Amino acid sequence: MSDPQEYRDSPLRPYVLTGGRSRPTRNTLRVDTLLLANPDKPLPVSASRQERALLTMCTRLLSLAEAAAHLELPVSIVTILASDLVDSGHLQARSGIPAASSPDPSLLEEVLHGLRKLR
Amino acid sequence: MVSANSADRYLPHTVQQPVKILIVGAFGVGKTTLVGSVSEIRPLRTEETMTEAGAGVDSLAGLPEKRTTTVAMDFGRITLNERLVLYLFGAPGQRRFWNLWEGLAEGAVGVLVLVDTRRLEDSFEVLDQLELRGDTPFIVAVNRFPDTQHYSEQELRQAMDLLPETPIVECDARDRTEAMDALIALVQHATELSRARKVAS
Ligand SMILES: Nc1nc2c(ncn2[C@@H]2O[C@H](COP(=O)(O)OP(=O)(O)OP(=O)(O)O)[C@@H](O)[C@H]2O)c(=O)[nH]1
Ligand SMILES: [Mg+2]
């Protein structure tokens, strides 16, 4: 049996985790994208330990960055894992502002109002 | 660590829309402190891999020279109302981290540039880059450290060669209200720019 600590520190590990890919299948997921597991869709037995861990983490709503931090995995890896799980319908994504655009005035006013109320 | 506070780790299910603000500044300028002052969760830390900015081209092989590094990034969260949540990401501002924070700035409400008056020059690169980008609203927040000389706004503007339209605020990053006021000033600025842009189009 290999030492799990040693395994985790290996530079090859992230590559293995994501099935040899270094890019997510979709570009809509961002650090602030909110993730929520689909309770009606259990994972197949073939799912990886990391996919299971991510799905379990997202039983309730949180952002991709938070999931990465709690799982102690790099954001880039969680983005790839989450993309696959969104594609397969296991994970629901609530996205932020698309990269090419900026928030519209009414959304910004809502942010402003929220901050002022909490001040 | 994974099991700590898991009860209040999550967002209400009603939240539909995330927005983000970036806190950028030189080493030790108070980014993590500011995030911690306003965040409803203990600031979290993640790693982001990025390709080094300004990587040259290996002319012999004809392949772009790719160098990936890992950068630690702190962030916090403020739930603004039942459908809206704000994330605050702190990122280092130096040139070699541009790919990281420019990626984060995409789609962001805006960027808060945190500066320390004892090392103003450390913020020149990031300010240049933001002025050049043009599309991301930003303001300058001067983090007030004790034993630092006081400068007037005019002096600070001049020293940083700020554009006249770029707002500048002062704050103590350790103080929640002052840190909130800096965020409010940024969002206010972003709102005005966005309204002006809408009218113009
Ligand atoms: N007096 C004073 N001290 C501050 C203030 N903000 C930060 N500090 C202190 O300055 C030090 C650096 O602050 P950090 O928040 O870690 O700075 P940072 O920008 O996150 O630093 P790096 O992540 O290392 O680049 C800490 O010891 C803080 O307690 C401030 O407004 N006033
Ligand atoms: Mg920090």
Side-chain angles (χ1 to χ4, degrees):
Chain A
M1 284 275 108
S2 65
D3 175 2
Q5 198 59 45
E6 188 181 292
Y7 197 37
R8 205 177 74 163
D9 287 346
S10 154
L12 266 179
R13 187 64 181 144
Y15 198 64
V16 173
L17 283 184
T18 56
R21 285 171 301 109
S22 61
R23 267 173 214 294
T25 55
R26 55 172 68 206
N27 291 315
T28 53
L29 298 188
R30 319 191 64 80
V31 281
D32 56 332
T33 300
L34 305 180
L35 302 172
L36 184 62
N38 178 355
D40 305 324
K41 188 146 181 176
L43 275 174
V45 281
S46 59
S48 72
R49 196 154 46 84
Q50 284 69 30
E51 285 176 315
R52 283 183 198 288
L54 177 58
L55 213 59
T56 306
M57 181 59 64
C58 302
T59 314
R60 288 169 58 205
L61 193 65
L62 44 57
S63 66
L64 194 152
E66 287 169 294
H70 293 311
L71 291 169
E72 299 181 23
L73 285 171
V75 168
S76 53
I77 300 300
V78 175
T79 306
I80 296 169
L81 293 171
S83 291
D84 287 350
L85 291 170
V86 170
D87 284 349
S88 62
H90 291 95
L91 208 53
Q92 181 203 333
R94 300 180 187 174
S95 275
I97 311 302
S101 52
S102 37
D104 63 42
S106 61
L107 179 58
L108 290 168
E109 273 160 31
E110 195 179 344
V111 175
L112 196 54
H113 184 74
L115 283 173
R116 284 189 175 136
K117 243 176 60 185
L118 293 170
R119 177 182 177 276
Chain B
M1 192 163 133
V2 171
S3 60
N5 308 321
S6 48
D8 38 63
R9 159 186 300 176
Y10 292 99
L11 290 164
H13 274 61
T14 51
V15 176
Q16 297 293 331
Q17 169 91 69
V19 290
K20 61 185 171 181
I21 285 178
L22 220 62
I23 321 282
V24 175
F27 282 121
V29 81
K31 304 179 290 290
T32 305
T33 305
L34 191 139
V35 169
S37 295
V38 295
S39 179
E40 68 196 15
I41 54 168
R42 182 176 49 84
L44 293 168
R45 168 160 285 224
T46 59
E47 280 181 358
E48 181 73 284
T49 48
M50 55 155 222
T51 314
E52 290 249 18
V57 172
D58 181 343
S59 53
L60 280 177
L63 293 167
E65 180 195 314
K66 262 203 202 158
R67 226 146 132 259
T68 47
T69 38
T70 307
V71 196
M73 181 173 74
D74 292 318
F75 67 97
R77 182 181 90 190
I78 306 175
T79 304
L80 294 172
N81 61 40
E82 68 283 352
R83 54 155 246 109
L84 188 61
V85 64
L86 171 64
Y87 286 94
L88 303 159
F89 290 95
Q94 293 85 334
R95 177 182 283 272
R96 59 199 188 91
F97 300 121
W98 282 358
N99 282 349
L100 170 71
W101 69 254
E102 289 201 299
L104 284 171
E106 284 177 358
V109 167
V111 177
L112 190 74
V113 182
L114 207 53
V115 305
D116 176 345
T117 52
R118 296 165 301 182
R119 298 176 292 139
L120 274 186
E121 63 283 359
D122 288 358
S123 59
F124 291 172
E125 278 188 359
V126 70
L127 289 169
D128 281 348
Q129 188 62 8
L130 281 165
E131 285 173 8
L132 210 66
R133 279 175 61 93
D135 52 355
T136 310
F138 68 96
I139 71 165
V140 171
V142 177
N143 195 10
R144 211 187 311 116
F145 286 86
D147 333 311
T148 52
Q149 199 184 325
H150 182 82
Y151 299 96
S152 69
E153 179 180 331
Q154 191 55 36
E155 287 173 304
L156 288 168
R157 281 189 169 282
Q158 222 152 40
M160 283 183 276
D161 194 21
L162 291 184
L163 297 171
E165 63 268 27
T166 304
I168 177 167
V169 296
E170 252 195 282
C171 76
D172 182 330
R174 298 164 304 175
D175 183 278
R176 181 179 177 274
T177 309
E178 290 196 22
M180 283 294 267
D181 282 343
L183 294 179
I184 288 168
L186 170 62
V187 182
Q188 174 93 52
H189 181 57
T191 308
E192 281 159 15
L193 286 180
S194 160
R195 277 201 210 110
R197 212 172 282 158
K198 206 171 181 184
V199 170
S201 65

